[in-house]
Amino acid sequence: MEVYGKKVQSRLLLGTAQYPSPAVLKDAITASRTEIITVSLRRETANGSGAGFWDLLKACNCHFLPNTAGCHSVQEAVTTAQMARELFGTDWIKLEVIGHSESLQPDVFGLVEAAKILCADGFKVFPYTTEDLVVGEKLLEAGCEVLMPWGAPIGSGQGLRNPDALRAMRAYFPNIPLIVDAGIGRPSDATRAMELGMDAVLLNTAVAKAGDPVLMAQAMAQAIEAGHNGWVADPMDPRDMAVPSTPILGMAELV
């Protein structure tokens, strides 16, 4: 997969929040085989623990994708992105502009506005958005080269609430990297997303809050690989009637 000129082997992007310990986080990153990890500016600087957390992340040898998690306005998101660029030394940014405090649904109007500002400022923006095709067009016009539609509300583990809309996005944007972001709960959800033709999956809570985060990270990596291979293999279409796998012609006749 190639995003903003960077080629990566893994199609799993992994978040770094809510893990039971730094050691478990590091082992989960290793087990997932991810090459891109997301990190919040708030997590990095909270409680004076930023230095140790930063050292742990650097030791993972992954590409950093800072995010603007928790931002509810354009100005807040832009300022957070600028601070993250200074801290993490990357112009990649996962852009979140939250519009609804309970569902954490993106404010797509503010998202497009913030994307225009950040793209013009040299950022490589990964926008957390809905499945809306018009919003997707506006984000691409703003300068984004990737779209990140949600599967379900952040941290809900509901899986893909609107697979038909994701399928439509794939058909409408055939050459744009599409990364399902948020809502994945089980490996089967990740496989389903990839079978719809998505290019990658970004997840956090499903791994961090699992009983065994390291094993779950490994399972998610395997599920995503299987789903992608299934999509590339061009699976058969469902049929209304049974079709025998063994032809009748040539079978013995009892008389």
Side-chain angles (χ1 to χ4, degrees), residues 7 33-34 37 40 79 102 111-112 136 144 147 163 187 202 206 215-216 220 242:
K7 293 183 179 180
R33 304 194 304 274
T34 185
I37 53 177
S40 169
T79 300
E102 293 185 5
L111 180 67
V112 171
C144 299
L147 298 174
L202 193 160
L215 185 60
M216 182 60 77
M220 287 294 185

Side-chain angles (χ1 to χ4, degrees), residues 173-198:
F173 301 114
N175 301 315
I176 301 299
L178 300 179
I179 302 174
V180 168
D181 178 16
I184 298 297
R186 299 172 180 271
S188 55
D189 299 331
T191 298
R192 190 181 187 194
M194 299 305 293
E195 288 177 338
L196 291 175
M198 300 296 105

Side-chain angles (χ1 to χ4, degrees), residues 69-182:
C71 293
H72 290 258
S73 71
V74 172
Q75 186 58 55
E76 186 181 11
V78 169
T79 300
T80 301
Q82 293 168 339
M83 294 172 63
R85 179 163 62 181
E86 289 288 328
L87 181 61
F88 296 106
T90 178
D91 53 9
W92 281 23
I93 192 73
K94 178 191 170 187
L95 179 61
E96 296 183 25
V97 182
I98 301 302
H100 191 267
S101 58
E102 293 185 5
S103 68
L104 301 182
Q105 179 172 329
D107 172 1
V108 294
F109 305 101
L111 180 67
V112 171
E113 184 180 348
K116 290 179 180 177
I117 296 170
L118 292 174
C119 288
D121 193 25
F123 281 90
K124 295 177 173 62
V125 177
F126 293 68
Y128 165 61
T129 184
T130 63
E131 319 94 326
D132 191 288
L133 300 182
V134 177
V135 174
E137 284 187 327
K138 297 296 183 184
L139 289 168
L140 296 177
E141 291 172 4
C144 299
E145 297 182 12
V146 59
L147 298 174
M148 301 180 68
W150 66 345
I154 294 172
S156 68
Q158 295 178 12
L160 307 183
R161 295 208 305 185
N162 198 346
D164 288 338
L166 293 174
R167 188 180 292 109
M169 284 195 80
R170 178 73 288 166
Y172 197 75
F173 301 114
N175 301 315
I176 301 299
L178 300 179
I179 302 174
V180 168
D181 178 16

